[in-house]
Amino acid sequence: VETSLPSTAVVAYSYEGGVLRLLDQRLLPHEETILECTSALETAEAIRTLAVRGAPLLGVVAAYGLCVEARRVAARSAGDLDVALQVAAERLASTRPTAVNLSAALDRMRHVALATAGGGAEERVRLLEAEAARIAEEDRAACGRIGRLGAAWLRERIRVPKPTVLTHCNTGALATAGIGTALGILRVLAAEGPLAILADETRPFLQGARLTAWELLKDGLAVTLLPDVAAASLIARGRVHAVVVGADRIAANGDVANKVGTYPLALAAHAHGVPFVVAAPLTTLDPWMPDGAAVPIEERDGAEVLRLPLSGGGHTALAPAGASALYPAFDVTPSALVNAIVTERGISEAPHAEGLARLLAAGAPR
Ligand code: MRU
């Protein structure tokens, strides 16, 4: 008998009647402010400025971004719907290049738009909304299965009374439509028994410090923050039993693009024989990308490294005026460093080219 899945009090988004409401992640943990998007342009801006982020949630939000645009245009001039949706999809797709979930969700929505061309505007908008809801529901369900499968895999391999698991960035209810991917696994493990969750701060946007810590505490789970730079030495000293992270795009050979700072964790885990686990729904798999070399890596403005936003607005400088900074926002972990890739359909163990191909061929989960 399966125990029930842990639930979450976090509401990252909602959609109703042409209005997309997003919990503004730029303001967490200080403020819980809702951002209302009623056009694709506003939605794209929210994505670009990281008010909303996390690969699976980007797919869901982009899909609803097309819905708000469809409602907006249909109310004014239904005849313009197809051109408006095309422009909106391109605008949304261009916001962030690395997470493949974004373009995959938009492709699904475009498919519905094409298949319903010539139909009544109201009916078409309803069908687009139904598809966006399906994308969200599928992601919610995928998180649950990933949580269960990943927790079982780790429990079998870590035989200490209270394991310490390190995670990076935010992969939870603020990054998906469900309990999360990597964080979903940690939520299930924490529900099953004693667990210490270590969260990398994740410089410079501080997804770990601001978001992962906020959502875990909101759900009554303890979390210990770790400066990113301390992870490798802690792993070397045997203080970490597993590293569990998410992904923004997984290539056919199992190379994993994820938040910058993931690759150094994989190197350290490999060097010290600590399991390194990647958790992601199949929507994060890009079977057309043979390996990680071709994955587009988002370069963000160095200004985001040089200054820290203040809770009351404005910024404080972290470096002298005149200093410049580089900000590659993602890195690629070679497949050989990844012990397991946990998806909703099962787990791939090395060699991942075969493991992932098998999962893709397996069809819908039983
Ligand atoms: O820049 P972000 O915050 O969108 O990056 C998010 C990550 O790198 C996550 O690890 C990834 O999207 C998986 S979220 C389930």
Side-chain angles (χ1 to χ4, degrees):
V1 182
E2 284 189 337
T3 50
S4 62
L5 274 173
S7 61
T8 176
V10 175
V11 182
Y13 75 96
S14 67
Y15 173 84
E16 211 193 331
V19 184
L20 174 62
R21 293 185 175 84
L22 303 171
L23 177 58
D24 191 338
Q25 300 192 21
R26 296 167 300 187
L27 303 177
L28 291 174
H30 310 291
E31 268 179 51
E32 292 178 37
T33 300
I34 304 296
L35 192 66
E36 289 198 349
C37 303
T38 52
S39 68
L41 186 63
E42 284 171 0
T43 311
E45 203 49 20
I47 293 174
R48 201 185 56 74
T49 58
L50 306 182
V52 63
R53 28 68 48 211
L57 188 56
L58 288 177
V60 172
V61 163
Y64 279 119
L66 276 192
C67 295
V68 296
E69 188 67 8
R71 281 250 167 257
R72 192 177 75 84
V73 174
R76 286 187 336 203
S77 51
D80 296 341
L81 198 54
D82 287 289
V83 174
L85 287 176
Q86 187 57 34
V87 171
E90 278 162 25
R91 172 168 278 149
L92 288 160
S94 69
T95 50
R96 301 200 66 195
T98 305
V100 74
N101 309 63
L102 181 63
S103 47
L106 287 169
D107 284 347
R108 273 179 69 166
M109 297 295 285
R110 268 196 274 231
H111 204 78
V112 173
L114 270 178
T116 59
E122 177 58 32
E123 173 66 0
R124 295 184 74 195
V125 177
R126 260 192 351 88
L127 289 169
L128 287 167
E129 288 172 341
E131 185 69 359
R134 251 190 310 275
I135 291 171
E137 173 51 30
E138 285 169 19
D139 186 58
R140 192 197 60 75
C143 287
R145 285 192 57 84
I146 289 169
R148 280 197 204 290
L149 289 172
W153 192 92
L154 283 163
R155 278 263 177 255
E156 251 176 51
R157 284 157 185 84
I158 312 174
R159 302 231 174 245
V160 297
K162 184 174 181 181
T164 296
V165 181
L166 171 64
T167 190
H168 190 64
C169 196
N170 171 269
T171 61
L174 288 170
T176 63
I179 58 169
T181 56
L183 213 55
I185 294 176
L186 301 194
R187 284 170 177 276
V188 172
L189 280 176
E192 288 175 354
L195 177 77
I197 300 179
L198 270 181
D200 261 353
E201 286 176 305
T202 320
R203 277 275 299 149
F205 190 65
L206 300 173
Q207 285 94 334
R210 297 191 306 102
L211 309 180
T212 298
W214 179 83
E215 78 161 78
L216 289 176
L217 290 169
K218 186 155 182 100
D219 287 331
L221 293 165
V223 57
T224 302
L225 282 172
L226 189 70
D228 304 341
V229 288
S233 56
L234 215 63
I235 290 170
R237 283 156 60 202
R239 301 262 305 269
V240 175
H241 300 100
V243 179
V244 185
V245 299
D248 282 77
R249 193 186 295 239
I250 301 175
N253 74 339
D255 287 353
V256 174
N258 191 47
K259 179 53 55 196
V260 69
T262 300
Y263 175 44
L265 292 180
L267 283 171
H270 184 75
H272 300 287
V274 169
F276 182 85
V277 176
V278 172
L282 289 168
T283 48
T284 303
L285 224 71
D286 185 353
W288 309 116
M289 191 116 326
D291 57 46
V295 175
I297 299 296
E298 178 181 11
E299 287 269 350
R300 292 189 68 86
D301 190 343
E304 295 181 29
V305 175
L306 295 169
R307 56 190 207 184
L308 194 70
L310 296 173
S311 55
H315 295 91
T316 185
L318 293 173
S324 61
L326 277 180
Y327 182 5
F330 296 90
D331 61 24
V332 175
T333 297
S335 169
L337 301 181
V338 180
N339 297 105
I341 298 176
V342 184
T343 75
E344 68 273 34
R345 208 176 280 169
I347 300 180
S348 165
E349 293 183 5
H352 293 296
E354 282 80 18
L356 293 175
R358 219 177 8 254
L359 288 179
L360 280 174
R366 272 166 290 153

Short mmCIF file of all heavy atoms in Angstrom, two decimals, residues 123-185:
data_model
loop_
_atom_site.label_atom_id
_atom_site.label_comp_id
_atom_site.label_asym_id
_atom_site.label_seq_id
_atom_site.Cartn_x
_atom_site.Cartn_y
_atom_site.Cartn_z
N GLU A 123 -14.87 28.86 -28.80
CA GLU A 123 -14.59 27.43 -28.68
C GLU A 123 -13.08 27.18 -28.76
O GLU A 123 -12.51 26.35 -28.03
CB GLU A 123 -15.34 26.70 -29.81
CG GLU A 123 -15.03 25.21 -29.94
CD GLU A 123 -15.50 24.38 -28.74
OE1 GLU A 123 -16.06 24.96 -27.81
OE2 GLU A 123 -15.25 23.16 -28.77
N ARG A 124 -12.39 27.90 -29.65
CA ARG A 124 -10.95 27.71 -29.79
C ARG A 124 -10.23 28.10 -28.50
O ARG A 124 -9.30 27.42 -28.06
CB ARG A 124 -10.41 28.54 -30.96
CG ARG A 124 -10.95 28.08 -32.31
CD ARG A 124 -10.33 28.87 -33.42
NE ARG A 124 -8.95 28.45 -33.66
CZ ARG A 124 -8.07 29.17 -34.37
NH1 ARG A 124 -8.43 30.34 -34.86
NH2 ARG A 124 -6.86 28.73 -34.55
N VAL A 125 -10.63 29.20 -27.90
CA VAL A 125 -9.99 29.64 -26.66
C VAL A 125 -10.22 28.59 -25.57
O VAL A 125 -9.30 28.24 -24.82
CB VAL A 125 -10.52 31.02 -26.21
CG1 VAL A 125 -9.90 31.42 -24.88
CG2 VAL A 125 -10.20 32.08 -27.26
N ARG A 126 -11.43 28.04 -25.53
CA ARG A 126 -11.72 27.01 -24.53
C ARG A 126 -10.82 25.79 -24.71
O ARG A 126 -10.33 25.21 -23.77
CB ARG A 126 -13.19 26.58 -24.64
CG ARG A 126 -14.10 27.23 -23.61
CD ARG A 126 -15.48 26.59 -23.52
NE ARG A 126 -15.81 25.60 -24.55
CZ ARG A 126 -15.56 24.30 -24.48
NH1 ARG A 126 -14.96 23.80 -23.42
NH2 ARG A 126 -15.90 23.49 -25.46
N LEU A 127 -10.60 25.42 -25.98
CA LEU A 127 -9.75 24.26 -26.25
C LEU A 127 -8.28 24.53 -25.89
O LEU A 127 -7.57 23.66 -25.41
CB LEU A 127 -9.88 23.83 -27.71
CG LEU A 127 -11.25 23.19 -28.05
CD1 LEU A 127 -11.42 23.03 -29.56
CD2 LEU A 127 -11.39 21.83 -27.36
N LEU A 128 -7.84 25.77 -26.12
CA LEU A 128 -6.47 26.15 -25.72
C LEU A 128 -6.35 26.07 -24.19
O LEU A 128 -5.35 25.57 -23.65
CB LEU A 128 -6.14 27.56 -26.21
CG LEU A 128 -5.87 27.69 -27.71
CD1 LEU A 128 -5.86 29.16 -28.12
CD2 LEU A 128 -4.56 27.02 -28.11
N GLU A 129 -7.37 26.58 -23.49
CA GLU A 129 -7.34 26.54 -22.01
C GLU A 129 -7.33 25.09 -21.51
O GLU A 129 -6.64 24.77 -20.55
CB GLU A 129 -8.55 27.29 -21.44
CG GLU A 129 -8.41 28.80 -21.62
CD GLU A 129 -9.66 29.58 -21.24
OE1 GLU A 129 -10.75 28.98 -21.18
OE2 GLU A 129 -9.55 30.80 -21.01
N ALA A 130 -8.07 24.23 -22.21
CA ALA A 130 -8.11 22.82 -21.80
C ALA A 130 -6.73 22.18 -21.99
O ALA A 130 -6.28 21.38 -21.16
CB ALA A 130 -9.17 22.07 -22.60
N GLU A 131 -6.05 22.54 -23.07
CA GLU A 131 -4.72 21.97 -23.31
C GLU A 131 -3.72 22.47 -22.26
O GLU A 131 -2.90 21.70 -21.75
CB GLU A 131 -4.23 22.34 -24.73
CG GLU A 131 -2.91 21.70 -25.14
CD GLU A 131 -2.99 20.18 -25.36
OE1 GLU A 131 -4.08 19.60 -25.17
OE2 GLU A 131 -1.96 19.58 -25.69
N ALA A 132 -3.79 23.76 -21.92
CA ALA A 132 -2.89 24.31 -20.88
C ALA A 132 -3.14 23.59 -19.55
O ALA A 132 -2.20 23.23 -18.84
CB ALA A 132 -3.11 25.82 -20.73
N ALA A 133 -4.42 23.35 -19.25
CA ALA A 133 -4.76 22.65 -17.99
C ALA A 133 -4.21 21.22 -18.02
O ALA A 133 -3.74 20.70 -17.00
CB ALA A 133 -6.27 22.64 -17.78
N ARG A 134 -4.25 20.59 -19.20
CA ARG A 134 -3.70 19.23 -19.33
C ARG A 134 -2.18 19.24 -19.12
O ARG A 134 -1.63 18.36 -18.47
CB ARG A 134 -4.02 18.64 -20.72
CG ARG A 134 -5.06 17.53 -20.66
CD ARG A 134 -5.19 16.80 -21.99
NE ARG A 134 -5.35 17.67 -23.13
CZ ARG A 134 -6.52 18.15 -23.55
NH1 ARG A 134 -7.63 17.84 -22.93
NH2 ARG A 134 -6.57 18.95 -24.61
N ILE A 135 -1.50 20.22 -19.68
CA ILE A 135 -0.04 20.33 -19.50
C ILE A 135 0.28 20.44 -18.01
O ILE A 135 1.18 19.77 -17.49
CB ILE A 135 0.52 21.54 -20.30
CG1 ILE A 135 0.41 21.26 -21.81
CG2 ILE A 135 1.96 21.84 -19.89
CD1 ILE A 135 0.73 22.46 -22.69
N ALA A 136 -0.51 21.27 -17.31
CA ALA A 136 -0.28 21.46 -15.87
C ALA A 136 -0.57 20.18 -15.10
O ALA A 136 0.21 19.76 -14.25
CB ALA A 136 -1.16 22.60 -15.35
N GLU A 137 -1.69 19.54 -15.42
CA GLU A 137 -2.09 18.32 -14.69
C GLU A 137 -1.07 17.20 -14.93
O GLU A 137 -0.71 16.47 -14.02
CB GLU A 137 -3.51 17.91 -15.12
CG GLU A 137 -3.98 16.57 -14.57
CD GLU A 137 -3.80 16.41 -13.06
OE1 GLU A 137 -3.86 17.42 -12.33
OE2 GLU A 137 -3.58 15.26 -12.61
N GLU A 138 -0.59 17.09 -16.16
CA GLU A 138 0.40 16.04 -16.45
C GLU A 138 1.68 16.30 -15.65
O GLU A 138 2.32 15.36 -15.17
CB GLU A 138 0.69 15.99 -17.95
CG GLU A 138 -0.43 15.34 -18.75
CD GLU A 138 -0.28 15.51 -20.25
OE1 GLU A 138 0.85 15.79 -20.73
OE2 GLU A 138 -1.29 15.34 -20.94
N ASP A 139 2.05 17.57 -15.52
CA ASP A 139 3.26 17.88 -14.76
C ASP A 139 3.06 17.58 -13.28
O ASP A 139 3.95 17.02 -12.62
CB ASP A 139 3.68 19.34 -14.96
CG ASP A 139 5.01 19.60 -14.30
OD1 ASP A 139 5.99 18.92 -14.66
OD2 ASP A 139 5.07 20.44 -13.39
N ARG A 140 1.86 17.91 -12.78
CA ARG A 140 1.57 17.64 -11.37
C ARG A 140 1.68 16.13 -11.09
O ARG A 140 2.31 15.70 -10.13
CB ARG A 140 0.16 18.14 -11.02
CG ARG A 140 -0.15 18.18 -9.53
CD ARG A 140 -1.64 18.28 -9.27
NE ARG A 140 -2.36 17.13 -9.84
CZ ARG A 140 -2.37 15.91 -9.32
NH1 ARG A 140 -1.72 15.67 -8.20
NH2 ARG A 140 -3.02 14.93 -9.93
N ALA A 141 1.10 15.34 -11.98
CA ALA A 141 1.13 13.89 -11.81
C ALA A 141 2.57 13.36 -11.94
O ALA A 141 2.99 12.48 -11.18
CB ALA A 141 0.22 13.23 -12.83
N ALA A 142 3.33 13.91 -12.90
CA ALA A 142 4.72 13.47 -13.10
C ALA A 142 5.54 13.71 -11.84
O ALA A 142 6.33 12.86 -11.42
CB ALA A 142 5.34 14.20 -14.29
N CYS A 143 5.33 14.86 -11.19
CA CYS A 143 6.07 15.16 -9.96
C CYS A 143 5.82 14.08 -8.90
O CYS A 143 6.75 13.64 -8.22
CB CYS A 143 5.65 16.51 -9.40
SG CYS A 143 6.27 17.91 -10.35
N GLY A 144 4.59 13.67 -8.77
CA GLY A 144 4.25 12.65 -7.77
C GLY A 144 4.98 11.35 -8.04
O GLY A 144 5.57 10.74 -7.12
N ARG A 145 4.98 10.92 -9.29
CA ARG A 145 5.64 9.65 -9.63
C ARG A 145 7.16 9.76 -9.46
O ARG A 145 7.82 8.85 -8.98
CB ARG A 145 5.28 9.23 -11.06
CG ARG A 145 3.86 8.70 -11.17
CD ARG A 145 3.63 8.02 -12.51
NE ARG A 145 4.56 6.92 -12.78
CZ ARG A 145 4.39 5.68 -12.35
NH1 ARG A 145 3.33 5.37 -11.62
NH2 ARG A 145 5.26 4.74 -12.65
N ILE A 146 7.71 10.90 -9.90
CA ILE A 146 9.16 11.12 -9.74
C ILE A 146 9.52 11.07 -8.25
O ILE A 146 10.52 10.45 -7.86
CB ILE A 146 9.56 12.48 -10.37
CG1 ILE A 146 9.48 12.39 -11.90
CG2 ILE A 146 10.95 12.91 -9.92
CD1 ILE A 146 9.58 13.74 -12.60
N GLY A 147 8.69 11.71 -7.43
CA GLY A 147 8.95 11.74 -5.98
C GLY A 147 9.02 10.33 -5.41
O GLY A 147 9.97 9.97 -4.70
N ARG A 148 8.04 9.52 -5.75
CA ARG A 148 8.00 8.15 -5.23
C ARG A 148 9.16 7.31 -5.75
O ARG A 148 9.83 6.60 -4.99
CB ARG A 148 6.71 7.47 -5.67
CG ARG A 148 5.51 7.82 -4.86
CD ARG A 148 4.44 6.77 -5.15
NE ARG A 148 3.11 7.26 -4.88
CZ ARG A 148 2.63 7.52 -3.67
NH1 ARG A 148 3.40 7.35 -2.62
NH2 ARG A 148 1.41 7.95 -3.51
N LEU A 149 9.39 7.36 -7.08
CA LEU A 149 10.43 6.51 -7.68
C LEU A 149 11.81 6.90 -7.17
O LEU A 149 12.63 6.05 -6.82
CB LEU A 149 10.40 6.64 -9.22
CG LEU A 149 9.22 6.00 -9.95
CD1 LEU A 149 9.23 6.39 -11.42
CD2 LEU A 149 9.27 4.48 -9.79
N GLY A 150 12.07 8.21 -7.12
CA GLY A 150 13.39 8.69 -6.70
C GLY A 150 13.65 8.38 -5.23
O GLY A 150 14.76 7.99 -4.85
N ALA A 151 12.61 8.53 -4.40
CA ALA A 151 12.78 8.26 -2.96
C ALA A 151 13.10 6.78 -2.75
O ALA A 151 13.99 6.43 -1.96
CB ALA A 151 11.51 8.66 -2.21
N ALA A 152 12.41 5.90 -3.49
CA ALA A 152 12.66 4.46 -3.33
C ALA A 152 14.09 4.12 -3.76
O ALA A 152 14.79 3.33 -3.10
CB ALA A 152 11.64 3.67 -4.16
N TRP A 153 14.53 4.71 -4.87
CA TRP A 153 15.89 4.45 -5.39
C TRP A 153 16.93 4.86 -4.35
O TRP A 153 17.89 4.12 -4.07
CB TRP A 153 16.09 5.24 -6.70
CG TRP A 153 17.31 4.87 -7.49
CD1 TRP A 153 17.39 3.95 -8.49
CD2 TRP A 153 18.64 5.43 -7.36
NE1 TRP A 153 18.67 3.90 -9.00
CE2 TRP A 153 19.45 4.78 -8.32
CE3 TRP A 153 19.21 6.40 -6.54
CZ2 TRP A 153 20.81 5.08 -8.48
CZ3 TRP A 153 20.56 6.69 -6.69
CH2 TRP A 153 21.35 6.03 -7.65
N LEU A 154 16.74 6.02 -3.75
CA LEU A 154 17.71 6.52 -2.77
C LEU A 154 17.67 5.71 -1.47
O LEU A 154 18.72 5.39 -0.91
CB LEU A 154 17.46 8.01 -2.48
CG LEU A 154 17.97 8.94 -3.58
CD1 LEU A 154 17.33 10.32 -3.46
CD2 LEU A 154 19.49 9.06 -3.54
N ARG A 155 16.47 5.38 -1.00
CA ARG A 155 16.35 4.61 0.24
C ARG A 155 17.12 3.29 0.15
O ARG A 155 17.71 2.83 1.12
CB ARG A 155 14.88 4.29 0.54
CG ARG A 155 14.14 5.42 1.20
CD ARG A 155 14.07 5.26 2.73
NE ARG A 155 13.41 6.42 3.33
CZ ARG A 155 14.03 7.38 3.99
NH1 ARG A 155 15.32 7.34 4.19
NH2 ARG A 155 13.37 8.41 4.48
N GLU A 156 17.10 2.69 -1.06
CA GLU A 156 17.80 1.42 -1.24
C GLU A 156 19.31 1.57 -1.15
O GLU A 156 20.02 0.64 -0.83
CB GLU A 156 17.47 0.86 -2.64
CG GLU A 156 16.59 -0.35 -2.62
CD GLU A 156 16.23 -0.78 -4.01
OE1 GLU A 156 17.17 -0.93 -4.83
OE2 GLU A 156 15.04 -0.93 -4.29
N ARG A 157 19.80 2.75 -1.50
CA ARG A 157 21.25 2.95 -1.58
C ARG A 157 21.86 3.67 -0.40
O ARG A 157 23.07 3.62 -0.21
CB ARG A 157 21.58 3.72 -2.87
CG ARG A 157 21.49 2.78 -4.07
CD ARG A 157 21.25 3.49 -5.37
NE ARG A 157 21.05 2.50 -6.41
CZ ARG A 157 19.89 1.91 -6.69
NH1 ARG A 157 18.80 2.23 -6.00
NH2 ARG A 157 19.81 0.99 -7.64
N ILE A 158 21.04 4.39 0.35
CA ILE A 158 21.58 5.11 1.51
C ILE A 158 21.07 4.42 2.76
O ILE A 158 19.87 4.49 3.06
CB ILE A 158 21.14 6.59 1.54
CG1 ILE A 158 21.37 7.24 0.18
CG2 ILE A 158 21.89 7.35 2.61
CD1 ILE A 158 20.82 8.65 0.10
N ARG A 159 21.95 3.77 3.46
CA ARG A 159 21.50 3.00 4.63
C ARG A 159 22.02 3.64 5.92
O ARG A 159 22.79 3.03 6.65
CB ARG A 159 21.93 1.54 4.50
CG ARG A 159 21.41 0.89 3.23
CD ARG A 159 20.73 -0.43 3.54
NE ARG A 159 20.10 -0.99 2.35
CZ ARG A 159 18.79 -1.14 2.25
NH1 ARG A 159 17.99 -0.74 3.20
NH2 ARG A 159 18.27 -1.68 1.14
N VAL A 160 21.66 4.89 6.14
CA VAL A 160 21.99 5.54 7.42
C VAL A 160 20.68 6.02 8.03
O VAL A 160 19.71 6.29 7.30
CB VAL A 160 22.98 6.72 7.25
CG1 VAL A 160 24.32 6.24 6.70
CG2 VAL A 160 22.41 7.81 6.36
N PRO A 161 20.62 6.13 9.36
CA PRO A 161 19.34 6.48 10.00
C PRO A 161 18.81 7.86 9.57
O PRO A 161 17.61 8.05 9.45
CB PRO A 161 19.67 6.48 11.50
CG PRO A 161 20.98 5.78 11.64
CD PRO A 161 21.69 5.85 10.34
N LYS A 162 19.73 8.83 9.39
CA LYS A 162 19.26 10.15 8.96
C LYS A 162 20.15 10.67 7.83
O LYS A 162 21.16 11.33 8.10
CB LYS A 162 19.23 11.13 10.13
CG LYS A 162 18.66 12.49 9.73
CD LYS A 162 18.48 13.43 10.89
CE LYS A 162 17.89 14.75 10.42
NZ LYS A 162 17.69 15.72 11.47
N PRO A 163 19.80 10.38 6.59
CA PRO A 163 20.65 10.82 5.48
C PRO A 163 20.63 12.34 5.31
O PRO A 163 19.65 13.00 5.65
CB PRO A 163 20.02 10.16 4.25
CG PRO A 163 18.85 9.39 4.70
CD PRO A 163 18.62 9.65 6.15
N THR A 164 21.74 12.85 4.79
CA THR A 164 21.81 14.26 4.40
C THR A 164 21.86 14.31 2.88
O THR A 164 22.72 13.69 2.25
CB THR A 164 23.09 14.91 4.96
OG1 THR A 164 23.01 14.90 6.39
CG2 THR A 164 23.25 16.34 4.48
N VAL A 165 20.90 15.02 2.28
CA VAL A 165 20.84 15.12 0.82
C VAL A 165 20.97 16.59 0.42
O VAL A 165 20.30 17.46 0.97
CB VAL A 165 19.53 14.52 0.27
CG1 VAL A 165 19.49 14.62 -1.25
CG2 VAL A 165 19.40 13.06 0.70
N LEU A 166 21.85 16.83 -0.52
CA LEU A 166 22.12 18.19 -0.99
C LEU A 166 21.38 18.44 -2.30
O LEU A 166 21.39 17.60 -3.20
CB LEU A 166 23.63 18.36 -1.20
CG LEU A 166 24.12 19.64 -1.89
CD1 LEU A 166 23.79 20.88 -1.06
CD2 LEU A 166 25.62 19.58 -2.16
N THR A 167 20.74 19.60 -2.39
CA THR A 167 20.10 19.99 -3.65
C THR A 167 20.55 21.39 -4.06
O THR A 167 21.16 22.11 -3.27
CB THR A 167 18.57 19.87 -3.56
OG1 THR A 167 18.02 20.02 -4.88
CG2 THR A 167 17.96 20.91 -2.64
N HIS A 168 20.27 21.74 -5.31
CA HIS A 168 20.75 22.99 -5.89
C HIS A 168 19.57 23.71 -6.53
O HIS A 168 18.65 23.07 -7.05
CB HIS A 168 21.81 22.67 -6.94
CG HIS A 168 22.57 23.86 -7.46
ND1 HIS A 168 23.38 24.64 -6.66
CD2 HIS A 168 22.64 24.40 -8.71
CE1 HIS A 168 23.92 25.60 -7.40
NE2 HIS A 168 23.49 25.49 -8.64
N CYS A 169 19.59 25.03 -6.51
CA CYS A 169 18.55 25.85 -7.16
C CYS A 169 17.20 25.59 -6.49
O CYS A 169 17.14 25.23 -5.31
CB CYS A 169 18.51 25.57 -8.66
SG CYS A 169 17.62 26.84 -9.62
N ASN A 170 16.11 25.80 -7.21
CA ASN A 170 14.79 25.46 -6.69
C ASN A 170 14.06 24.60 -7.70
O ASN A 170 13.90 24.99 -8.86
CB ASN A 170 13.94 26.71 -6.40
CG ASN A 170 12.50 26.31 -6.08
OD1 ASN A 170 11.65 26.23 -6.96
ND2 ASN A 170 12.23 26.01 -4.82
N THR A 171 13.66 23.42 -7.26
CA THR A 171 13.02 22.44 -8.15
C THR A 171 11.70 21.98 -7.55
O THR A 171 11.25 20.87 -7.81
CB THR A 171 13.94 21.22 -8.32
OG1 THR A 171 14.13 20.63 -7.02
CG2 THR A 171 15.29 21.59 -8.89
N GLY A 172 11.08 22.83 -6.73
CA GLY A 172 9.91 22.41 -5.97
C GLY A 172 8.60 22.92 -6.52
O GLY A 172 8.41 23.04 -7.74
N ALA A 173 7.70 23.26 -5.60
CA ALA A 173 6.37 23.73 -5.97
C ALA A 173 6.43 25.12 -6.60
O ALA A 173 5.45 25.59 -7.18
CB ALA A 173 5.46 23.75 -4.75
N LEU A 174 7.59 25.78 -6.49
CA LEU A 174 7.77 27.08 -7.16
C LEU A 174 8.37 26.90 -8.55
O LEU A 174 8.64 27.89 -9.24
CB LEU A 174 8.69 27.98 -6.32
CG LEU A 174 8.09 28.52 -5.03
CD1 LEU A 174 9.18 29.18 -4.18
CD2 LEU A 174 6.97 29.51 -5.32
N ALA A 175 8.62 25.66 -8.95
CA ALA A 175 9.28 25.42 -10.25
C ALA A 175 8.49 24.44 -11.12
O ALA A 175 8.90 24.14 -12.23
CB ALA A 175 10.69 24.86 -10.01
N THR A 176 7.38 23.93 -10.56
CA THR A 176 6.57 22.93 -11.28
C THR A 176 5.09 23.20 -10.97
O THR A 176 4.77 24.10 -10.20
CB THR A 176 6.89 21.50 -10.77
OG1 THR A 176 6.52 21.42 -9.38
CG2 THR A 176 8.37 21.16 -10.90
N ALA A 177 4.24 22.34 -11.52
CA ALA A 177 2.81 22.45 -11.19
C ALA A 177 2.45 21.52 -10.04
O ALA A 177 1.29 21.40 -9.68
CB ALA A 177 1.97 22.14 -12.42
N GLY A 178 3.46 20.85 -9.47
CA GLY A 178 3.19 19.88 -8.39
C GLY A 178 4.13 20.09 -7.22
O GLY A 178 4.49 21.21 -6.89
N ILE A 179 4.54 18.95 -6.60
CA ILE A 179 5.40 19.05 -5.41
C ILE A 179 6.87 19.24 -5.78
O ILE A 179 7.71 19.41 -4.91
CB ILE A 179 5.27 17.81 -4.49
CG1 ILE A 179 5.61 16.51 -5.24
CG2 ILE A 179 3.89 17.75 -3.86
CD1 ILE A 179 5.74 15.28 -4.33
N GLY A 180 7.17 19.19 -7.09
CA GLY A 180 8.54 19.39 -7.51
C GLY A 180 9.17 18.12 -8.05
O GLY A 180 8.58 17.03 -7.97
N THR A 181 10.38 18.27 -8.59
CA THR A 181 11.10 17.13 -9.16
C THR A 181 12.14 16.65 -8.13
O THR A 181 11.85 15.77 -7.32
CB THR A 181 11.76 17.52 -10.49
OG1 THR A 181 12.60 18.67 -10.29
CG2 THR A 181 10.69 17.85 -11.53
N ALA A 182 13.32 17.25 -8.13
CA ALA A 182 14.32 16.88 -7.11
C ALA A 182 13.75 17.15 -5.71
O ALA A 182 13.85 16.32 -4.81
CB ALA A 182 15.60 17.68 -7.33
N LEU A 183 13.12 18.31 -5.56
CA LEU A 183 12.55 18.63 -4.24
C LEU A 183 11.35 17.75 -3.92
O LEU A 183 11.08 17.47 -2.75
CB LEU A 183 12.17 20.12 -4.18
CG LEU A 183 12.33 20.77 -2.82
CD1 LEU A 183 13.73 20.61 -2.26
CD2 LEU A 183 11.95 22.23 -2.86
N GLY A 184 10.67 17.28 -4.95
CA GLY A 184 9.57 16.32 -4.75
C GLY A 184 10.11 15.04 -4.12
O GLY A 184 9.51 14.48 -3.19
N ILE A 185 11.26 14.58 -4.62
CA ILE A 185 11.89 13.38 -4.05
C ILE A 185 12.24 13.63 -2.58
O ILE A 185 11.98 12.80 -1.72
CB ILE A 185 13.16 13.00 -4.86
CG1 ILE A 185 12.78 12.57 -6.28
CG2 ILE A 185 13.95 11.89 -4.14
CD1 ILE A 185 13.98 12.27 -7.18
#
